[in-house]
Structure formats: C-alpha cells, structure tokens
Amino acid sequence: MLLNLALGVATMALCLALQIALLTRSLLYYAKHQSELNGASYFSSMAILSGVMFLLMFGNLGQIAIWAALFQFLGEFNNYETAFYHSAVNFSTLGYGDIVMSDQRKLLGPIQAINGVLMVGMSTAALMTTLRDAIKQSRHGWTAKRTEHIRELVDQNK
C-alpha cells in the first residue's frame, strides 16, 4: 500500500508540473492574443478561446498518458492502448469497471481519479477565466451585437 501511495503521489507531482507548464503556456497564448479581442468578431474570439482550450486539453491528455505509462510499467496491462483507455476512464472519474487492475495496484485508480478531478478543475478554472476576460474585452464587440440582435428578434415577435 505504501509503495502505491508513493507511486501515486510522485505521478501526481509529475502531472501537476505538466499541468502548470501547459496552463502557463495557455495563459501566455491568451495574453499574446488578448489585444485582438477588442472589436473582434464572435468567430475570432472563439478561435482564441479554442486555442486556450486545446492547450489545456493536451495537458490533460498528457497526464492520462503518464498514468498509462506507469500502469504498463507496473505490468498491469499488456498493451499501451488498454492502459491509456483505463487511465482515461480513471482520470475522468467515469469508472466503467470493464477493465480493472490487480488487487496489488488497485489503489492507484482512486489516486488517479483524485488527480483527474483536481487537474480538470484547474483547466476549467483557467478556461472560464479567459472566457470571462474575453467577454469583458469585447463588451462593444460581438457580445453587444448579439444582444442587440436578440432584442430585435424578440421585439419582432411581439
């Protein structure tokens, strides 16, 4: 049990380092493109936010890959594809139960699930922060235009 805890905590630390690196990179990407949001179209704004989302998503997929490599290194799975699938199920807390690890290593599953909740939470917080900022930046841009258009449509139906 102690070995599993040590392996889990070490893997969580590695995943946190990757998460911080890609979180920082995604926020730098957003900061670099932030000035383009002033008066930007809806699609331009969504393109910038999509870039942030994809960087964060790659971070989460990278963490799933790290856990899968650990599972395969420990001999839990014969091939990497199965290890990656099982890791994705754990990381996302789906818990299908169609593939399970040995009794010796099963504690790693909940540890990875805790890691996944925390890291997906960090990604969500970063994405929502950039979305909120993008909306503020484009108050007189696409948000205001869409609001006016919606009001016109509502008024026509009265």
Side-chain angles (χ1 to χ4, degrees):
M1 183 170 109
L2 290 177
L3 178 61
N4 287 331
L5 287 173
L7 288 170
V9 169
T11 306
M12 285 178 79
L14 182 60
C15 288
L16 180 60
L18 177 61
Q19 180 74 17
I20 289 170
L22 283 166
L23 182 67
T24 301
R25 180 65 189 109
S26 67
L27 293 176
L28 289 172
Y29 170 84
Y30 178 74
K32 179 180 176 183
H33 293 89
Q34 190 176 21
S35 63
E36 298 170 25
L37 291 171
N38 291 328
S41 70
Y42 172 78
F43 293 108
S44 296
S45 299
M46 287 300 107
I48 293 168
L49 292 172
S50 293
V52 171
M53 182 191 69
F54 283 119
L55 284 167
L56 295 168
M57 184 182 68
F58 288 134
N60 292 140
L61 289 172
Q63 293 170 65
I64 291 168
I66 290 169
W67 281 96
L70 173 67
F71 297 155
Q72 192 168 20
F73 174 77
L74 294 172
E76 288 295 313
F77 301 103
N78 293 330
N79 61 56
Y80 187 75
E81 292 80 17
T82 303
F84 190 89
Y85 166 78
H86 180 74
S87 179
V89 169
N90 285 345
F91 194 84
S92 62
T93 70
L94 288 173
Y96 287 147
D98 56 342
I99 300 173
V100 295
M101 292 193 288
S102 67
D103 287 344
Q104 182 183 7
R105 302 288 183 203
K106 66 182 178 182
L107 181 60
L108 291 173
I111 293 172
Q112 185 188 12
I114 292 167
N115 182 221
V117 167
L118 294 171
M119 298 304 111
V120 169
M122 286 179 69
S123 295
T124 302
L127 186 59
M128 292 309 298
T129 298
T130 55
L131 175 62
R132 186 179 63 221
D133 187 72
I135 290 170
K136 283 183 187 177
Q137 290 286 329
S138 63
R139 273 190 198 161
H140 303 292
W142 61 266
T143 308
K145 290 176 189 171
R146 297 283 180 225
T147 303
E148 290 172 21
H149 181 69
I150 290 169
R151 284 186 183 139
E152 288 173 9
L153 290 173
V154 170
D155 288 341
Q156 287 177 358
N157 291 330
K158 287 186 177 181

